[in-house]
């Protein structure tokens, strides 16, 4: 049997091998399950590298001065910071914890941007002591907290743009906890000067999992019209396909929309998270229980759930699933997790081929905000992260142990 490609929801280079099993980064995921156990986050390293190069090339083809900044909240672990540092990206961090990881991953402090709507004095101390390139100031209180410190800053603007995406992940609207509304920006600029901060430009991020190119284009227009600044940061937000019916814009089309307006003498910054890592990762589980309720529903329960993927529960996010060695089934089932909660449903309407205990189940497109938002609900152990490349697999974050669960007890 010839190996066949799988849909665009899976990591680049994924295929079904001669045994009809899914391969990610050249690794047979049924064998990965055997070797490393489940659940596990499996990434195709080359996918992340290809997407970072697509960003760099798209900018390079259109503009001289730019920076592509990895929004690391999507997937903060030292191995991925190291990977993007090697590829020549900058990074942003949304806390002192992410800063710690970025430095551990080898990022030059100069290339780090720090975000946060409520950075504590300790966060700001850590950032300045590490020598981060820029702090993106978010409030008048924060400007006060930085008074007299030697800091380069950007002012975060809420541009009054509301893209269509889940309301929890819209950030550019006026009614937001983030940044300065358009009317407050002149005062924020003055406050930075008065506090002795070096203000290098403006930042805005309109939201996440956005497909609407016009919203990004409008954002660029709003920022360009806000005066002459050396740096303009247009945030992130480009969406990815979670299911095969979704067709997000290509990275190149997104960059094209951001740069449709002329930027003169400006360094343009862009801050993608999800679109760099989301499609690169899948989660593998083992099916444990199949419960058929005639005329009602079939529940296929796996050995993870809302502790390794909170997105279905938080945002109603839809995923696909397949049995890793029997793709393309027609039995409509609901994939449940193993948590003590009825809402612990990973996929409401998956089509599987006769699922049974022991099967390896895969959910694609879990590379962003999966590991990042993993938790220990019901004292489940957080899964390992495995990077695959050319048929070699390496664990970059190990599975938690029961000792990890009691480690902080005093
Ligand atoms: N820049 C800033 C200032 C941000 O707040 C974010 C995301 C990004 C960049 C990157 O956005 P991306 O390119 O990844 O869309 N947990 C949610 C997503 C929250 C996004 C928060 N901010 C989810 O799972 O959908």
């Amino acid at each position: 049997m010839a190996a066949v490609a799988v849909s665009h929801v899976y990591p680049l280079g994924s295929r079904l091998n001669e045994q009809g099993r899914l391969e990610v980064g050249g690794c047979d995921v049924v064998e990965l399950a055997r070797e490393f156990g489940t659940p596990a986050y499996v990434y195709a390293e080359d996918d992340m590298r290809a997407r970072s190069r697509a960003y760099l090339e798209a900018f390079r083809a259109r503009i001289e001065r730019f920076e592509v900044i990895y929004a690391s909240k999507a997937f903060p672990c030292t191995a991925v910071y190291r990977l993007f540092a090697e590829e020549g990206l900058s990074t942003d961090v949304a806390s002192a914890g992410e800063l710690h990881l970025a430095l551990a991953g080898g990022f030059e402090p100069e290339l780090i941007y720090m975000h946060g709507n409520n950075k504590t004095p300790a966060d700001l101390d850590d950032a300045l002591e590490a020598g981060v390139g820029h702090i993106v100031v978010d409030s008048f209180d924060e400007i006060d907290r930085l008074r007299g410190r030697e800091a380069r800053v950007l002012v975060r603007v809420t541009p009054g743009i509301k893209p269509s995406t889940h309301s929890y992940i819209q950030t550019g609207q006026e009614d937001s906890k983030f940044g300065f509304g358009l009317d407050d920006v002149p005062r924020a600029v003055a406050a930075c000067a008065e506090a002795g901060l070096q203000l290098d430009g403006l930042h805005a991020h309109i939201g996440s999992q956005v497909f609407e190119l016009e919203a990004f284009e409008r954002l660029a227009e709003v920022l360009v019209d806000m005066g002459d600044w050396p740096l303009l940061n247009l945030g992130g937000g480009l969406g990815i396909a979670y299911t095969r019916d979704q067709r997000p814009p290509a990275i190149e089309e997104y960059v094209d929309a951001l740069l449709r307006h002329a930027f003169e003498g400006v360094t343009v910054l862009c801050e993608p998270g999800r679109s760099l890592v989301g499609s690169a990762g899948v989660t593998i589980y083992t099916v444990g229980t199949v419960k058929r309720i005639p005329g009602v529903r079939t529940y296929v329960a796996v050995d993870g759930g809302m502790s390794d993927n909170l997105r279905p529960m938080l945002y109603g996010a839809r995923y696909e699933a397949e049995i890793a060695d029997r793709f393309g089934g027609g039995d409509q089932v609901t994939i449940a997790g193993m948590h003590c909660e009825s809402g612990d449903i990973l996929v409401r309407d998956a089509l599987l081929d006769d699922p049974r205990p022991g099967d390896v189940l895969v959910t694609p497109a879990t590379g962003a905000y999966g590991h990042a938002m993993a938790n220990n609900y019901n004292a489940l152990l957080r899964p390992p992260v495995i990077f695959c490349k050319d048929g070699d697999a390496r664990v970059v974050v190990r599975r938690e142990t029961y000792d990890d669960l009691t480690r902080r007890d005093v």
Side-chain angles (χ1 to χ4, degrees):
M1 185 172 63
V4 280
V6 295
S7 87
H8 63 289
V9 179
Y10 284 81
L12 295 172
S14 298
R15 58 170 209 147
L16 297 181
N17 66 19
E18 286 67 20
Q19 289 113 54
R21 295 171 170 183
L22 175 67
E23 264 184 27
V24 171
C27 296
D28 177 324
V29 304
V30 176
E31 278 170 20
L32 292 178
R34 227 174 263 149
E35 185 175 350
F36 301 106
T38 56
Y41 301 112
V42 174
Y43 284 82
E45 204 178 313
D46 285 345
D47 179 297
M48 295 181 276
R49 292 190 189 275
R51 291 185 208 267
S52 61
R53 287 170 200 175
Y55 267 105
L56 293 171
E57 277 155 29
F59 273 98
R60 204 172 288 131
R62 289 169 177 77
I63 195 171
E64 241 168 69
R65 283 151 54 184
F66 64 90
E67 223 174 292
V68 179
I69 302 169
Y70 169 49
S72 67
K73 73 204 72 182
F75 178 30
C77 79
T78 51
V80 80
Y81 284 108
R82 190 166 300 124
L83 184 150
F84 287 129
E86 280 169 14
E87 292 295 331
L89 304 195
S90 307
T91 194
D92 80 16
V93 295
S95 68
E98 286 182 1
L99 171 62
H100 172 78
L101 291 172
L103 295 170
F107 254 103
E108 291 294 333
E110 178 67 22
L111 299 179
I112 299 177
Y113 291 77
M114 184 178 238
H115 282 294
N117 70 302
N118 184 25
K119 304 177 194 77
T120 65
D123 293 342
L124 295 170
D125 284 347
D126 283 3
L128 293 174
E129 272 158 35
V132 302
H134 285 88
I135 293 177
V136 183
V137 294
D138 212 283
S139 66
F140 289 109
D141 292 318
E142 182 181 350
I143 294 172
D144 257 351
R145 252 169 247 155
L146 284 169
R147 182 176 303 281
R149 308 288 295 266
E150 208 173 297
R152 277 175 291 167
V153 302
L154 302 180
V155 158
R156 178 159 180 172
V157 178
T158 41
I161 297 173
K162 208 172 181 174
S164 45
T165 187
H166 194 287
S167 65
Y168 288 8
I169 53 178
Q170 289 170 334
T171 45
Q173 71 282 9
E174 190 191 355
D175 182 0
S176 165
K177 70 170 183 168
F178 296 106
F180 298 92
L182 291 177
D183 293 346
D184 274 339
V185 173
R187 266 203 313 135
V189 168
C192 287
E194 194 261 326
L197 307 176
Q198 180 183 325
L199 176 55
D200 284 341
L202 306 178
H203 168 282
H205 169 74
I206 56 174
S208 200
Q209 184 58 10
V210 175
F211 283 24
E212 254 179 292
L213 291 180
E214 312 72 53
F216 292 117
E217 203 180 323
R218 238 179 317 131
L219 162 68
E221 197 179 340
V222 170
L223 285 193
V224 168
D225 287 345
M226 292 183 76
D228 290 331
W229 296 101
L231 302 182
L232 287 179
N233 185 328
L234 306 177
L238 175 62
I240 63 162
Y242 284 92
T243 52
R244 70 195 70 185
D245 53 302
Q246 294 180 318
R247 291 271 162 196
I251 287 170
E252 198 178 42
E253 295 171 297
Y254 166 58
V255 173
D256 206 57
L258 289 178
L259 299 180
R260 205 149 290 151
H261 288 272
F263 288 88
E264 273 160 36
V266 181
T267 301
V268 177
L269 318 181
C270 163
E271 235 168 37
R274 190 189 315 262
S275 55
L276 281 170
V277 297
S279 305
V282 306
T283 307
I284 57 173
Y285 302 96
T286 302
V287 173
T289 308
V290 179
K291 175 179 178 182
R292 295 178 209 277
I293 314 173
V296 179
R297 184 185 294 280
T298 298
Y299 285 97
V300 174
V302 296
D303 51 354
M306 61 197 298
S307 50
D308 60 73
N309 187 2
L310 206 46
R311 301 195 67 260
M313 301 82 198
L314 271 184
Y315 319 114
R318 285 176 53 234
Y319 285 82
E320 289 185 355
E322 295 279 3
I323 305 292
D325 54 3
R326 293 195 309 283
F327 261 57
D331 303 336
Q332 182 151 3
V333 303
T334 289
I335 314 288
M338 62 179 293
H339 291 273
C340 283
E341 184 159 330
S342 295
D344 177 31
I345 300 296
L346 288 168
V347 187
R348 211 155 278 281
D349 48 2
L351 291 173
L352 300 183
D353 176 10
D354 184 24
R356 27 195 201 257
D359 280 338
V360 175
L361 184 120
V362 53
T363 52
T366 57
Y369 306 108
H371 165 80
M373 298 198 296
N375 60 78
N376 288 116
Y377 186 35
N378 293 139
L380 259 65
L381 304 176
R382 281 177 291 178
V385 177
I386 300 165
F387 276 14
C388 298
K389 181 178 168 57
D390 301 330
D392 289 327
R394 63 187 170 110
V395 176
V396 298
V397 179
R398 66 160 171 79
R399 187 182 306 285
E400 274 183 323
T401 63
Y402 292 120
D403 284 343
D404 288 330
L405 295 182
T406 43
R407 180 147 298 154
R408 293 181 306 133
D409 294 353
V410 289

